[in-house]
Amino acid sequence: MKKKSLFLLIAMLLVFSSVLAACGSDEKTDGDKKQTTTNGKENLADEQVLDLASTADIPDLDQATATDAVSFVVFSNVFEGLYTLGENDKVEPGIAKADPKKSEDGKIWTIELREDAKWSNGDPVTAHDFVYGWQRTLAPDTKSEYASMMYSIKNAEAVNTGELPPDQLGVKAIDDYTLEITWDKVYPYTQSLLAFGTFMPQNKKFVESKGENYAKEANTQVYNGPFVLDSWTHGQGWTYKKNDQYWDKENVTLDTINVQVIKDDNTRLQLYNKGELDRANLAAVQVPQNKNSEDFKVEKDSSTFFLKMNQKNELLANVHARKAISMAIDKVAFTEKILSDGSTPTDYLVPDDFAYDENDKEFHEGYPDELVFNVEEAQKEWELAKKDLGKDTFTIEFLNYDTASAKKVGEFIKEQLETNLKGLTVNIVPKPFGPMLEDQKALNYDITYAGWGPDYPDPMTFLELYETNNSFNRSMYSNPEYDAIIAAANGPLLEDPAKRWTEMQKAEKILIEEDQAIVPLYQRSYSYLESPKVKGVVPHNFAGDYTYKDAYIVK
């Protein structure tokens, strides 16, 4: 998300609390006895167990098809790609031994793989696992929504559309431990992409042995990261265990991470106060009585949340109606009274303090500071919409999450719209995270509460979402001028970074100021309580929100 998450979301993402974590550690043993000091980590607790909560279950455990924030947090801890993200999102070697060796034109990368990496079933992790995994993700039958992230690889789009067979993809195993990638386009962030869950390897023998059951349960997936998914009770929670086959297991201190699915804010806080959770996100009403606690923390990230508007709905296809809806919502009151967690109101899709140009200028530098809440103007736009459509009353459904926090969000949005836009009725339809994502994919909604956490450190990770054919558009929005800018910024403008930057700014203004394709609401922050015994959890601004490899528990 460099400030800190999809996508990822949306999709990312999009629950108020994904899987949020605490801190971590490294461990060594002397026989069966754990040392009190390990790799510079002092005063280690005898039991290295981290207890967490999530407001949502894992929607998808398959690297090829997952699209949500919860799944990608899991991926970042049970899988390892060619590269990983360290502190401050520094790209570090994972399965790769070192940085790529690049051809003179920069488009052919040769990557040497470490030979001591293994899957949790004992199989070696080889270059063939990356070739197979990427080919499988791009295969048309897989229907991967994140396949487009791979389109910078030579022939990737043609493979994904079925125009070319998978073996024509620009990736090959020179030998078991040498991978060659041929790119059509190289972005400033390309190496960061290789740390993202979609690019993680897949074990062909294991995948094919499980058939349709692959990745449906903890034991029908195989892992190559610092942890394995030891158990998964759908709807209730899951448990990570230290991976005894991991190549760097001596630098993993946690033995167990327990994650409970807890949607109720009060239950989560009660369990924290009883010592049964090591971290608890706070709802707005819980902040005042907890903000003076030594355990209280606020963490700002790079996820933005917004309302999507499905333009197959007659009302929402009208630009005046969309602008009216946007201007009718008091975002300051929303963030201060409903969220109360440090989140900040925004009028944009790209988050603040996330992307900077080559001169270190922030993406929104020079943008107007005023928020667009304006009831008088909203009502003018609303009257224009009613005139265009020849109607005075409208009813729309608001697809929302079923958590307690999201319920308050829905009630606030409903009250604002029905009060400020006379003749509009908003019916709230709450659903669990997974079914809600399915409804969004199927365009089975009118408006919906959504969010996105970045997949890589560039404004394009947000802006490309609303290109006409992007699989995450999910709103029927289409503007040829916008599409042309996105195509240029992902193509010829890569050779002109300054022009690319200003064109991306232009695209965001088309999306928001001209077309009001979405209604930006806020940039997320978390208010939470975290036990002082938790150390070393590493947050990230993109890809999976947290990694626990370096986390540990002190006495």
Side-chain angles (χ1 to χ4, degrees):
M1 295 170 229
K2 267 320 275 268
K3 63 184 230 115
K4 164 130 180 100
S5 33
L6 202 160
F7 232 312
L8 262 111
L9 4 77
I10 133 127
M12 356 115 184
L13 344 235
L14 311 184
V15 293
F16 268 81
S17 310
S18 295
V19 178
L20 295 173
C23 303
S25 89
D26 289 343
E27 106 182 23
K28 287 185 180 177
T29 59
D30 179 9
D32 293 327
K33 184 177 180 181
K34 203 163 288 183
Q35 304 299 299
T36 58
T37 302
T38 303
N39 292 345
K41 298 179 174 68
E42 298 183 354
N43 200 31
L44 293 177
D46 292 335
E47 291 190 356
Q48 289 296 314
V49 179
L50 179 62
D51 292 307
L52 306 174
S54 171
T55 56
D57 195 9
I58 305 170
D60 194 343
L61 200 55
D62 186 342
Q63 305 97 307
T65 55
T67 63
D68 66 282
V70 177
S71 298
F72 282 111
V73 171
V74 175
F75 290 177
S76 292
N77 291 285
V78 299
F79 301 124
E80 188 164 88
L82 294 166
Y83 298 96
T84 65
L85 299 181
E87 289 192 31
N88 300 315
D89 295 330
K90 180 182 178 183
V91 179
E92 301 173 347
I95 302 302
K97 287 183 179 179
D99 290 339
K101 296 177 182 177
K102 302 177 182 179
S103 62
E104 187 173 346
D105 64 2
K107 290 190 174 182
I108 300 176
W109 291 13
T110 303
I111 301 175
E112 299 295 327
L113 276 55
R114 59 177 59 258
E115 298 180 14
D116 55 350
K118 293 182 179 180
W119 291 97
S120 53
N121 65 358
D123 290 348
V125 179
T126 70
H128 304 286
D129 295 322
F130 289 93
V131 173
Y132 169 74
W134 298 2
Q135 289 179 347
R136 177 174 175 266
T137 298
L138 286 162
D141 290 347
T142 303
K143 296 181 172 58
S144 171
E145 290 186 80
Y146 259 134
S148 60
M149 285 194 71
M150 293 183 163
Y151 279 8
S152 53
I153 302 173
K154 183 178 179 181
N155 294 335
E157 185 171 7
V159 169
N160 190 225
T161 59
E163 296 175 26
L164 288 175
D167 62 8
Q168 294 300 301
L169 182 66
V171 58
K172 63 181 178 180
I174 303 301
D175 56 43
D176 285 351
Y177 299 101
T178 307
L179 185 71
E180 182 182 276
I181 308 170
T182 302
W183 304 96
D184 270 337
K185 303 172 185 176
V186 178
Y187 302 102
Y189 52 83
T190 290
Q191 195 166 336
S192 298
L193 282 177
L194 299 179
F196 189 72
T198 307
F199 286 84
M200 290 177 179
Q202 298 171 43
N203 183 319
K204 180 179 181 180
K205 181 177 69 174
F206 187 88
V207 173
E208 293 182 347
S209 73
K210 298 303 178 184
E212 292 184 358
N213 293 321
Y214 174 66
K216 295 295 191 295
E217 306 293 339
N219 63 0
T220 61
Q221 177 60 281
V222 65
Y223 312 97
N224 76 316
F227 301 95
V228 301
L229 203 62
D230 183 65
S231 63
W232 177 18
T233 303
H234 295 266
Q236 297 182 36
W238 59 94
T239 298
Y240 302 93
K241 292 286 188 181
K242 180 177 176 179
N243 184 358
D244 62 7
Q245 296 290 328
Y246 181 54
W247 67 269
D248 197 26
K249 64 182 178 182
E250 289 191 355
N251 285 313
V252 179
T253 305
L254 289 178
D255 291 322
T256 303
I257 305 171
N258 299 310
V259 183
Q260 299 180 59
V261 176
I262 304 173
K263 296 181 180 181
D264 183 73
D265 300 321
N266 291 327
T267 301
R268 197 162 51 245
L269 181 58
Q270 290 168 5
L271 291 175
Y272 180 85
N273 288 331
K274 289 166 63 177
E276 296 179 24
L277 287 178
D278 294 318
R279 176 167 176 162
N281 273 27
L282 297 172
V285 296
Q286 297 171 330
V287 171
Q289 64 266 37
N290 288 283
K291 65 181 180 181
N292 294 323
S293 168
E294 292 182 356
D295 295 357
F296 180 78
K297 297 180 180 180
V298 176
E299 179 180 300
K300 187 175 183 179
D301 76 9
S302 296
S303 299
T304 53
F305 283 71
F306 42 89
L307 297 179
K308 285 192 175 212
M309 297 176 285
N310 186 355
Q311 293 190 30
K312 77 176 184 181
N313 177 288
E314 179 186 33
L315 174 67
L316 301 172
N318 185 281
V319 67
H320 297 298
R322 298 196 301 272
K323 288 184 175 182
I325 289 171
S326 180
M327 290 189 286
I329 299 171
D330 186 345
K331 300 174 188 178
V332 173
F334 177 64
T335 54
E336 292 182 354
K337 297 177 181 180
I338 303 301
L339 302 181
S340 296
D341 56 5
S343 295
T344 53
T346 185
D347 281 335
Y348 301 106
L349 175 62
V350 178
D352 290 330
D353 306 321
F354 166 68
Y356 296 83
D357 69 8
E358 55 191 353
N359 297 314
D360 205 32
K361 289 185 177 180
E362 200 272 335
F363 190 68
H364 292 138
E365 185 170 328
Y367 277 42
D369 292 331
E370 305 83 14
L371 293 167
V372 298
F373 174 60
N374 187 319
V375 175
E376 183 178 349
E377 289 299 317
Q379 292 172 345
K380 288 180 181 178
E381 292 288 346
W382 185 238
E383 291 304 315
L384 290 172
K386 291 195 290 187
K387 182 178 179 182
D388 285 349
L389 298 171
K391 293 173 61 177
D392 289 323
T393 60
F394 301 88
T395 299
I396 58 175
E397 290 189 345
F398 179 13
L399 176 64
N400 195 16
Y401 302 105
D402 65 348
T403 63
S405 296
K407 180 181 179 182
K408 292 173 183 174
V409 169
E411 291 170 347
F412 180 86
I413 298 297
K414 173 181 171 70
E415 185 275 333
Q416 290 274 288
L417 295 182
E418 291 184 346
T419 299
N420 295 328
L421 303 178
K422 300 303 180 183
L424 178 61
T425 299
V426 178
N427 295 326
I428 300 173
V429 181
K431 290 195 175 182
F433 186 46
M436 181 173 172
L437 291 181
E438 291 304 315
D439 276 352
Q440 288 178 348
K441 292 177 187 178
L443 294 177
N444 186 26
Y445 73 92
D446 294 328
I447 62 173
T448 186
Y449 182 46
W452 193 258
D455 300 323
Y456 50 87
D458 188 85
M460 191 56 66
T461 190
F462 290 90
L463 298 175
E464 68 182 358
L465 299 175
Y466 289 93
E467 185 271 331
T468 297
N469 295 317
N470 190 285
S471 58
F472 291 97
N473 186 320
R474 298 175 184 171
S475 64
M476 301 290 286
Y477 170 71
S478 181
N479 182 319
E481 182 183 6
Y482 185 86
D483 290 352
I485 293 174
I486 298 304
N490 281 332
L493 290 181
L494 290 169
E495 304 298 325
D496 187 348
K499 180 68 178 298
R500 178 177 184 266
W501 194 258
T502 58
E503 285 296 289
M504 288 192 295
Q505 291 173 323
K506 180 181 176 181
E508 186 178 44
K509 291 177 180 178
I510 291 171
L511 183 75
I512 306 297
E513 296 177 13
E514 295 182 18
D515 293 345
Q516 199 70 66
I518 61 171
V519 178
L521 294 174
Y522 66 95
Q523 182 171 335
R524 182 172 61 184
S525 289
Y526 298 107
S527 289
Y528 62 98
L529 298 175
E530 183 176 78
S531 170
K533 70 181 183 180
V534 177
K535 309 294 179 184
V537 169
V538 180
H540 300 293
N541 286 331
F542 56 93
D545 289 355
Y546 296 91
T547 49
Y548 309 135
K549 176 180 175 179
D550 296 323
Y552 59 102
I553 307 297
V554 298
K555 293 180 180 178

